[in-house]
Every structure is written in C-alpha cells, then in structure tokens.
Amino acid sequence: HHKALLEELSALGVTVPAGASIMEIGFISGGESIVAFERLGFKGAGIDYFYDGAFDSNHRYKEVQRLTGTKVRFVPGDLTQRTSFGDEEFNFIYSHQVLEHIRDLEAAFSEMSRILKPGGVMFHHYDPYFHPMGGHSFGTLDFPWGHVRLDEDDFARYIETLRPFEAPHALPWCAGSLN
C-alpha cells in the first residue's frame, strides 16, 4: 500500500526522496505501517498518544520491534503539544484514520509544520462519512461516524446506558480526543 501511495504521489509530481525521514501519526495498532515505510528504505518514526492513556502504551509496538528488528523510533506523545522531534526533521508526515480524532487541529498542524522540512510533504487519509470504517475506535458507537452525530449529552447517555464497561475510558477520551 505504501509503495503504491508513493508511486501515485510521484506521478503527481510529489517526490519523497530515497532514504527520507518519514513520521507517522498514530501507531496504536502496533507500528506495522511505519515498519513498512522502513522496509521501503526510509527512516521511520511515529507518535501516538494511546487514546489519552486509556490503553497501555508499552504493549504491541514493542512486540513489533522485537519481531521485526526495526530501527523505527516509536514515541508516545501528544501531537498537539511540542514534541521531542527536532525542527524540520521529517521529509514526509503521514496519517491514516487519525485527524478525525484530534480535537485541536490547529495545534497539531502547527507542530507538524514545525517538524516538517521545507518542501516536505504531509499526506493524511481519513474515511469518508459513510465508509464502513466510519466508526473505528472504542466508544464510537455501533454505526458509522456515530461519534460525530450525537451531541455530548446523548453520546454520554448512550455509552453509560448501553456500554457501561467502556464508559470510564470512552467518555473522557471522546470528550478530549474527538474533533
């Protein structure tokens, strides 16, 4: 998938140089995506805030590191704050199904701009409104994009009534993490 994406960008005149540094936003799934960029010859790094601490940040990506021997730098952190990444560190910033979960997009894009090299590229993918992956996180209801259709009171009532096992983590996460 990543190779095809880079080829499509190249066909549009957007080139990510060989050996470039790539940063991926959101690696809670384990970081396999960043490792794929590394296997294509890029220097990889990623940042994830693990649903505001609702999930163990030391689990799956460490297993991916062990199994693959990757040199990818995985950084737990919040992209809406100043990160540990250097100014103009990355040639390419990538995200897949992440932006819709960032409440303070202005702060996130400000930080991305700080760490992106001049002439660098950002590529962000998110699923359209009625896409089957429209609801792809815990606490996002059982229908696509439910987390953006209900007001906060209706959402809280739904979670507390029908999904009480999620309520302690889902309510604070949704209140502070969804855009």
Side-chain angles (χ1 to χ4, degrees):
H1 171 76
H2 291 346
K3 184 177 179 183
L5 168 66
L6 294 170
E7 289 170 354
E8 288 174 24
L9 289 173
S10 181
L12 294 171
V14 177
T15 304
V16 180
S21 56
I22 294 180
M23 198 269 263
E24 183 169 6
I25 303 164
F27 61 84
I28 194 167
S29 65
E32 296 92 338
S33 179
I34 308 167
V35 173
F37 278 124
E38 181 185 53
R39 297 246 167 111
L40 290 171
F42 299 100
K43 180 181 173 186
I47 188 167
D48 200 303
Y49 88 133
F50 296 93
Y51 294 101
D52 202 23
F55 291 101
D56 178 9
S57 63
N58 297 317
H59 182 63
R60 185 148 182 234
Y61 79 91
K62 288 191 176 186
E63 186 65 11
V64 168
Q65 284 178 311
R66 186 186 70 74
L67 291 171
T68 65
T70 183
K71 304 255 188 286
V72 166
R73 183 170 42 141
F74 295 101
V75 177
D78 183 350
L79 192 65
T80 65
Q81 307 295 315
R82 184 174 178 93
T83 65
S84 61
F85 299 114
D87 292 347
E88 302 176 358
E89 184 172 338
F90 298 99
N91 300 90
F92 188 67
I93 295 176
Y94 172 84
S95 74
H96 186 82
Q97 298 178 347
V98 174
L99 291 184
E100 67 271 26
H101 298 283
I102 299 176
R103 185 177 286 295
D104 190 350
L105 283 173
E106 185 175 341
F109 275 100
S110 176
E111 180 62 5
M112 285 185 268
S113 294
R114 182 186 72 79
I115 64 178
L116 187 66
K117 290 182 180 183
V121 175
M122 285 189 222
F123 182 89
H124 302 284
H125 172 270
Y126 60 96
D127 293 322
Y129 191 79
F130 288 106
H131 189 277
M133 289 296 292
H136 53 263
S137 298
F138 83 111
T140 57
L141 314 180
D142 296 322
F143 57 96
W145 294 94
H147 60 292
V148 296
R149 290 186 188 177
L150 300 177
D151 67 27
E152 288 185 43
D153 292 337
D154 287 337
F155 178 79
R157 188 170 55 251
Y158 173 89
I159 292 293
E160 289 169 344
T161 303
L162 299 175
R163 298 170 84 158
F165 57 92
E166 285 185 26
H169 294 293
L171 290 173
W173 174 75
C174 288
S177 303
L178 290 176
N179 179 19

